Amino acid sequence: MSEPLPEAAAAAAEPTPLPPRPRAPAALVVLATLAVGYTLWAAQEVILPVLLAMFFALIGNPIIRLLQKLHLPRFLGALLVLSAGLAGAAALTVQLAGPATEWVQEAPQQMRQISRKVQDFVKPVQQANLAAESFARAAGGEGNRKVQVIRTQLDDPYKALVRTPKLAASALAVVLLTLFFMIYGENLQRHVIALLPNRQQKRFTAEILRSIEREISRYVLTITLINVGLGLILSGVLMLLGIALPEALLWGTVAALLNFAPYVGPLIGIVLMLLMGFVEFRDPLTALLPALAYLGLHTLEGQLITPIVLGRSMAISPLMLILALMLFGWLWGMIGLLLAVPLLVCVKLVLSRVDGMQGWAKLLE
């Protein structure tokens, strides 16, 4: 019996290449995208607490790892980090509750003061508009205009009464989920990886998850520290301008929270600083100083400090940032604006580590 040729044996030993996976029609991709978007919007009461808990857990994970190096069990480390965070938030809330309540109660009077100051600036323009309108009426022979009736709608107290327990339950769910993600997040990752069919996929997925978790934790913690520093410096500047400590801390905290939403948050912060300046100071030039100080600090942070600290790997295209803020803000409101950047960074990190998807990651830069 003749032996098989080496070429035939080598051809028989080579595995049969898998046929290419069929591509889905474009219409099906569009429908699937719309279905996912609608699900994210409709199920936001369930999705948002989970995402917020993951966000807070990512902030605490580097600290928990540091405590583990000091031979502190993960359960105790997570409980300590979460307790410290809740205690700090409670102390800050108690400290800022008084100034915030005063501002809310005095908002109508303050807005009237601001409107009077603004009217002084635009009074010549208003007079010119009235003169032009009178001239147009005389030329066109218009009579009396119809009176427009504006109807106001009062808030239903029953809705506020029903909404309060839901908010409390959502806050409690976020706290509990944060604790569980801190304690059992690593075990959950191991169990998910164990479901994969072969060792190569398990090793590849584990490396991706570890790198993503490490870099996202670093990003979230770094941005949080930068924003806290920005808020503290702004509070100090406001105190130098003559604003009381509680109110200065209030506006510093507002600026730190708004800075989590690039472009949109600082724009809102500048408007708030302008309003606060016109309320606190009578001199128009002095009233502009809080907004100018906030703009200068934000420019220094956004153009110098954050790029140096985070490096090029975390760079995101401003256009993609605006689109992500619009999308997630439309889906989930203010919480969507808070989570838009971490989610976009996570997507970029995943795409940059999957073969064949690096081009999509470059698209986000």
Side-chain angles (χ1 to χ4, degrees), residues 287-312:
L288 296 176
L289 291 180
L292 292 177
Y294 176 72
L295 179 61
L297 290 174
H298 171 69
T299 303
L300 180 64
E301 174 268 326
Q303 301 299 324
L304 183 63
I305 297 177
T306 300
I308 291 177
V309 174
L310 291 179
R312 183 65 184 172

Side-chain angles (χ1 to χ4, degrees), residues 231-245:
L232 291 176
I233 295 175
L234 180 62
S235 299
V237 172
L238 294 178
M239 290 179 61
L240 292 177
L241 293 176
I243 297 176
L245 175 60

Side-chain angles (χ1 to χ4, degrees), residues 57 78 82 173-186:
L82 184 60
V174 170
V175 172
L176 293 178
L177 285 173
T178 302
L179 179 62
F180 292 151
F181 274 123
M182 287 180 176
I183 298 174
Y184 304 109
E186 292 184 352

Side-chain angles (χ1 to χ4, degrees), residues 307 310-316 348 365:
L310 291 179
R312 183 65 184 172
S313 62
M314 296 293 182
I316 300 293
K348 180 189 174 184
E365 295 183 356

Side-chain angles (χ1 to χ4, degrees), residues 33-42 44 48 264 322-338 340:
T33 303
L34 293 176
V36 171
Y38 177 78
T39 303
L40 292 176
W41 174 79
Q44 57 182 308
L48 288 183
V264 178
I322 293 295
L323 293 177
L325 290 170
M326 292 176 61
L327 175 61
F328 290 104
W330 173 69
L331 282 175
W332 299 328
M334 289 301 298
I335 299 180
L337 294 177
L338 176 68

